[in-house]
Amino acid sequence: MNKHIQIAIDGPVAAGKGDIALRLAKELGLVYIYTGAMYRALGLACMSQSVPMDDQKKVLEVLQSIKIGLQYSPLHEKPYQVFLDGEDVTDRIIKQDAAMAASRVAAHADVRHEMVEQQKQIAQGKSVVMEGRDIALRILPEADLKIYLTASIEERAKRRLEQFQKNGIEKTLSDVLSDTKKRDEQDMGRAADPLKKLPDSWELDTTNLNQEQVVDAIKSELSKRGLL
Ligand code: DC
């Protein structure tokens, strides 16, 4: 494998970006960076300070006043952890309110600008697999492989429901389906860097694939490009 490799994964809600990126990180010895966790932590901070999420100036002030930490520890039972001002919020940010808050604060151009700067710093000089909505576009425009990971909305909602159930969060499939649609609309419809597949991204539809098959497909694409 190359000495230095950077893989960007973008895609809609619950396309499997996190699970796949974590598997790739472990198998290829890369650092896993979950950028959505940072927007979720910011959303959480805004909720706890009762800051209106539509107010760009106030949301930016919150971002500039907090410290968000990401930690990747492949051998730990929690392979990644997210810290907000030193407090471990990993379990808290998976909830639906944090996801929706993240999507709302992520709509502001100035907030994105600041996040992009922080996220570029985190990735700098490292071999990484980084996932989010603007990785190929803004964070790693020179990535060795840019993946656009997707799946049908029904399959994504089903997978997200299973994740919630695993974490003891009670939801119905129709709730999860409507939240997924709403968040997709926000993330793809915003003016500031909306989620979209770039012309130089490689699209992988995972609707009928299990995680192992997705990882194999990505590894074979890396080999084809002489990156493995
Ligand atoms: O990946 P996720 O679902 O945990 O991300 C939560 C929200 O954060 C998502 O709905 C949109 C936003 N986000 C973003 O705009 N840009 C990123 N790079 C990552 C996440």
Side-chain angles (χ1 to χ4, degrees), residues 10 13-14 17 34-37 39-40 98-99 102-103 106-107 112 119 131-135 139 160 183 187 190 193:
D10 293 296
V13 174
K17 302 183 295 295
Y34 173 22
T35 60
Y39 288 97
R40 286 172 183 252
S103 179
R112 302 198 66 79
Q119 291 167 357
E131 53 120 339
R133 304 292 190 290
D134 59 351
I135 311 301
I139 321 285
R160 183 49 47 97
R183 204 141 64 84
D187 297 343
R190 66 183 175 220
D193 290 348

Side-chain angles (χ1 to χ4, degrees), residues 174-187:
S174 77
D175 272 354
V176 177
L177 192 60
S178 79
D179 282 348
T180 303
K181 278 187 187 152
K182 188 163 173 213
R183 204 141 64 84
D184 274 355
E185 276 164 23
Q186 278 176 188
D187 297 343

Side-chain angles (χ1 to χ4, degrees), residues 126-169:
K126 298 191 187 96
S127 283
V128 297
V129 52
M130 199 161 187
E131 53 120 339
R133 304 292 190 290
D134 59 351
I135 311 301
L137 179 71
R138 293 279 174 231
I139 321 285
L140 303 175
E142 307 293 332
D144 298 281
L145 179 63
K146 298 176 174 181
I147 303 169
Y148 188 82
L149 203 69
T150 189
S152 73
I153 185 125
E154 294 77 15
E155 178 63 22
R156 292 189 283 122
K158 204 181 96 202
R159 290 179 191 166
R160 183 49 47 97
L161 182 66
E162 280 165 13
Q163 276 174 356
F164 281 144
Q165 284 166 345
K166 234 197 276 168
N167 286 290
I169 299 171

Side-chain angles (χ1 to χ4, degrees), residues 7-225:
I7 301 175
I9 305 184
D10 293 296
V13 174
K17 302 183 295 295
D19 287 334
I20 297 305
L22 269 170
R23 280 179 174 239
L24 281 174
K26 272 191 194 165
E27 286 198 31
L28 306 179
L30 310 173
V31 176
Y32 165 63
I33 306 174
Y34 173 22
T35 60
M38 298 177 71
Y39 288 97
R40 286 172 183 252
L42 173 61
L44 210 58
C46 290
M47 284 194 282
S48 72
Q49 294 178 34
S50 304
V51 164
M53 273 169 261
D54 298 329
D55 188 332
Q56 163 154 261
K57 194 165 165 277
K58 292 211 167 104
V59 173
L60 183 62
E61 279 167 16
V62 173
L63 177 57
Q64 287 165 340
S65 71
I66 57 176
K67 177 137 186 43
I68 302 170
L70 295 184
Q71 193 170 310
Y72 171 63
S73 334
L75 301 177
H76 198 270
E77 62 167 304
K78 274 185 184 177
Y80 73 88
Q81 282 170 286
V82 188
F83 297 90
L84 174 57
D85 290 329
E87 185 193 343
D88 183 347
V89 292
T90 317
D91 295 332
R92 176 65 187 87
I93 59 157
I94 58 178
K95 296 194 177 154
Q96 196 58 26
D97 59 345
M100 205 49 92
S103 179
R104 291 180 64 194
V105 297
H108 301 304
D110 293 352
V111 169
R112 302 198 66 79
H113 187 78
E114 172 68 30
M115 278 292 193
V116 166
E117 289 310 309
Q118 293 191 18
Q119 291 167 357
K120 278 181 156 174
Q121 286 272 319
I122 296 172
Q124 197 169 20
K126 298 191 187 96
S127 283
V128 297
V129 52
M130 199 161 187
E131 53 120 339
R133 304 292 190 290
D134 59 351
I135 311 301
L137 179 71
R138 293 279 174 231
I139 321 285
L140 303 175
E142 307 293 332
D144 298 281
L145 179 63
K146 298 176 174 181
I147 303 169
Y148 188 82
L149 203 69
T150 189
S152 73
I153 185 125
E154 294 77 15
E155 178 63 22
R156 292 189 283 122
K158 204 181 96 202
R159 290 179 191 166
R160 183 49 47 97
L161 182 66
E162 280 165 13
Q163 276 174 356
F164 281 144
Q165 284 166 345
K166 234 197 276 168
N167 286 290
I169 299 171
E170 274 192 41
K171 286 268 170 189
T172 64
L173 182 60
S174 77
D175 272 354
V176 177
L177 192 60
S178 79
D179 282 348
T180 303
K181 278 187 187 152
K182 188 163 173 213
R183 204 141 64 84
D184 274 355
E185 276 164 23
Q186 278 176 188
D187 297 343
M188 296 175 181
R190 66 183 175 220
D193 290 348
L195 169 69
K196 59 172 182 272
K197 180 190 170 293
L198 300 186
D200 61 343
S201 290
W202 174 68
E203 180 166 346
L204 182 57
D205 186 330
T206 71
T207 307
N208 297 308
L209 302 178
N210 63 32
Q211 288 187 9
E212 216 173 310
Q213 290 169 320
V214 175
V215 170
D216 284 347
I218 294 173
K219 279 167 47 188
S220 106
E221 187 64 24
L222 286 167
S223 293
K224 236 197 282 174
R225 295 176 186 223

